[in-house]
């Protein structure tokens, strides 16, 4: 499948692997890039030295383009912004804040800048600022989210900007990718499905919870504090939902205390009781282990088949001659 | 466009008009049915005599099939269930509860029963119960909603049942309908777009608010009480959000008091201050007045064009010969 995004980035498949904090490391990113997609290292809240090592490790593991995702509200965002220039990273995706301060330096360094956005207003702002594309992320995504769904957000963003739009949120198979193309997206970003990749280094407990998940297995917490996060229903998320519903007994400090480190507890320790297991609503479609190459080839191959046969969905053949 | 749903119901276009309480009356339903879709009268909380009059009015306005939607938790659901049999209604859609009690009588009366569902588990239950199809409704819809988005829900429901699935939530144009077909839906149900129809008898204030809405103009209230409802951001919905965020000052009675009759205030009075203006997230795509025939022909015509040209989205022509 060739789109504006495969051309822009020089990649085989217009599929990004989402920047999942604590999860999207050099190993996963390189595996995705080697398989023809765009692997993304999530800088998350990691120290600059750690991210530098990850970038260098990714360069050793692949000669294909990969990206680094920077959360712009992080205190070390300025250092990370310089790091990607120094290390010659080709693509940067951004979240949680505005890349305004860094845009000029990044563009001068030849970096393609692709912000994650959750509204048409922000998409337009990013286009004016010089972004090369935007990732329109629906609220069915795992992790930190906005409030508009992919089905509602994507066509409105495609109408609002002229730069390429990548669809994120709710895509785990060829149907999702084909639908994204129908809406005018030039590519997709998938998160949850890559949790099933053998190259994705998370606890077995986390993987098993994803495989068992269905269409109503996730929940959004954190709306009360203005930072909504989607994760699997679990002892911790159930406790948070309860606390958020009873403000009398809740203190934001208490919530912060019990959530601090909870993603690490899920990813590394497989701590079912105290971990936050971020996941998209599409987890119900992820039912067992796979690998990055199979995931990419299945999504893109199925999408191509579906799009090829799409004219038959009009039903003319059967009834109207 | 011919699908299992056009065949099942004997309609021209596989497009349902959503059952919007206080809004979806005989006039709107008949206009949609006359234009080739499936018009639906929303019984809502109306008295049985009122619904009987509406059904009879619809029969005078159209000789095409139309449906009645029954909210099963309503106290008068048993009488409404009998009414649709007595009046010879051909199609019933259901919401807010289980149609188990009425299924046998409805099937014996030859009524096609199509429940609205928001999870795969409920879809499977409806199939076992004998439903002819299900409407899978994503949480981007206006009015009473579940929590799973269309993009995540639809493919999982299509995988879960063998009966036809109609896609609701986030569909207001041909792109949405084409995407729904890609996911395997046999039809779509649209609500918000029909608010723009001249045959839709709501206050001008309501219509104007829909035309001005963008992708982040709606909000969900009522999660605290277990009855989430999506409506446009407005003085009342902002007040509710505030109350729900500060449980100290909130009483459920107080919320009930200020919301009672608020939909009528929106629909009939155009009371911007005190009305609840239900709307889907897709309202940003609804920008001015139209009519049922134009809406249906545009959605279906565009969907057919998009599906016809879908093979080009693979990009083979440009780059691979």
């Amino acid at each position: 499948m060739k789109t504006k995004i495969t051309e822009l980035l020089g990649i085989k498949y217009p599929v990004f692997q989402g920047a999942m904090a604590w999860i999207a490391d050099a190993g996963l990113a390189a595996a995705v890039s080697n398989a023809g997609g765009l692997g993304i290292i999530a800088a998350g809240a990691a120290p600059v030295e750690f991210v530098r090592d990850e970038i260098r490790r990714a360069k050793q593991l692949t000669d294909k383009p990969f990206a680094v995702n920077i959360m712009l509200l992080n205190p070390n965002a300025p250092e990370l912004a310089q790091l990607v220039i120094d290390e010659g990273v080709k693509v940067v995706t951004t979240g949680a804040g505005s890349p305004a301060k860094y845009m000029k330096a990044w563009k001068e360094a030849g970096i393609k800048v692709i912000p994650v956005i959750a509204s048409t207003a922000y998409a337009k702002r990013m286009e004016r600022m010089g972004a090369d594309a935007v990732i329109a992320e629906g609220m069915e995504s795992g992790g930190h989210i906005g409030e508009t769904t992919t089905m509602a957000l994507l066509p409105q963003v495609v109408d609002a900007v002229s730069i390429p739009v990548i669809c994120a949120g709710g895509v785990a198979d060829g149907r999702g990718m084909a639908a994204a193309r129908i809406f005018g997206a030039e590519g997709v970003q998938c998160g949850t499905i890559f949790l099933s990749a053998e190259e994705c280094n998370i606890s077995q407990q986390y993987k098993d919870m994803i495989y068992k998940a269905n269409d109503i297995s996730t929940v959004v917490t954190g709306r009360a504090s203005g930072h909504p996060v989607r994760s699997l229903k679990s002892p911790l998320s159930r406790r948070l939902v309860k606390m958020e519903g009873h403000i009398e007994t809740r203190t934001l400090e208490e919530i912060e205390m019990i959530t601090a480190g909870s993603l690490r507890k899920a990813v590394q320790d497989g701590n079912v009781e105290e971990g936050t297991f971020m996941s998209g609503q599409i987890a119900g479609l992820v039912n067992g282990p796979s690998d990055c190459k199979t995931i990419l080839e299945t999504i893109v191959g199925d999408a191509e088949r579906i799009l090829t046969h799409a004219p038959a969905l009009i039903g003319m053949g059967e009834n109207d001659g």
Side-chain angles (χ1 to χ4, degrees), chain A:
Chain A
M1 189 177 296
K2 305 249 183 213
T3 73
K4 287 176 188 167
I5 282 294
T6 58
E7 301 300 293
L8 179 73
L9 304 181
I11 54 179
K12 185 175 177 190
Y13 300 130
V15 181
F16 294 10
Q17 154 255 313
M20 301 170 279
W22 282 96
I23 297 173
D25 62 4
L28 179 60
V32 171
S33 289
N34 279 331
L38 183 74
I40 303 183
I41 296 170
V48 173
E49 301 68 40
F50 182 87
V51 180
R52 178 183 295 120
D53 289 348
E54 286 296 293
I55 293 171
R56 291 183 180 176
R57 194 158 71 90
K59 281 188 219 164
Q60 289 186 324
L61 294 169
T62 183
D63 56 0
K64 301 280 198 310
F66 62 89
V68 173
N69 175 267
I70 302 179
M71 305 278 277
L72 295 159
L73 291 179
N74 271 359
N76 65 354
E79 289 79 43
L80 290 169
Q82 186 57 45
L83 175 69
V84 293
I85 295 173
D86 296 343
E87 292 295 321
V89 171
K90 301 280 188 294
V91 186
V92 168
T93 69
T94 65
S98 167
K101 278 196 284 190
Y102 316 114
M103 193 60 96
K104 188 160 170 282
W106 284 344
K107 302 300 295 181
E108 282 174 8
I111 295 175
K112 307 290 184 207
V113 184
I114 309 182
V116 178
I117 57 92
S119 71
T120 55
Y122 213 78
K124 285 193 270 193
R125 201 173 137 199
M126 293 301 107
E127 179 177 43
R128 282 195 302 272
M129 201 178 281
D132 295 280
V134 289
I135 299 165
E137 188 182 73
M139 65 85 74
E140 47 270 85
S141 295
H144 289 85
I145 54 171
E147 288 291 353
T148 308
T149 74
T150 298
M151 193 97 171
L153 180 67
L154 183 57
Q156 299 188 61
V157 171
V158 166
D159 287 350
V161 299
S162 306
I163 52 177
V165 179
I166 291 101
C167 165
V171 181
D173 67 9
R175 289 175 291 185
M177 182 168 196
R181 294 287 288 138
I182 290 282
F183 279 120
E186 298 291 333
V188 295
Q189 176 168 290
C190 304
T192 308
I193 182 74
F194 283 109
L195 298 179
S196 70
E198 62 184 22
E199 300 93 338
C200 182
N201 189 22
I202 59 173
S203 64
Q204 191 58 45
Q205 288 87 345
Y206 199 157
K207 293 196 182 228
D208 289 342
M209 285 169 74
I210 292 289
Y211 302 153
K212 279 179 202 147
N214 65 26
D215 54 305
I216 56 166
S217 292
T218 70
V219 64
V220 178
T221 57
R223 280 199 178 101
S225 59
H227 296 287
V229 168
R230 181 180 303 284
S231 64
L232 293 174
K233 288 172 186 169
S234 71
L236 177 59
S237 66
R238 285 199 188 87
R239 204 172 141 198
L240 290 171
V241 168
K242 223 169 180 176
M243 288 170 77
E244 292 176 0
H246 297 277
I247 265 188
E248 304 94 323
T249 65
R250 182 193 87 189
T251 66
L252 283 175
E253 289 79 16
E254 196 184 343
I255 287 180
E256 211 176 307
M257 208 178 66
I258 68 168
T259 55
S262 63
L263 184 53
R264 184 187 52 71
K265 285 179 188 169
V267 172
Q268 296 188 344
D269 309 342
N271 183 333
V272 175
E273 288 298 318
E274 298 176 356
T276 293
F277 298 82
M278 292 186 181
S279 167
Q281 286 188 336
I282 205 69
L285 291 185
V286 183
N287 299 316
S290 187
D291 59 78
C292 289
K293 188 163 179 288
T294 304
I295 291 169
L296 285 169
E297 289 176 357
T298 305
I299 291 176
V300 177
D302 286 352
E304 289 183 349
R305 263 187 296 281
I306 290 167
L307 291 169
T308 301
H309 298 296
L313 294 171
I314 300 169
M316 300 291 285
E318 294 167 61
N319 300 287
D320 294 359

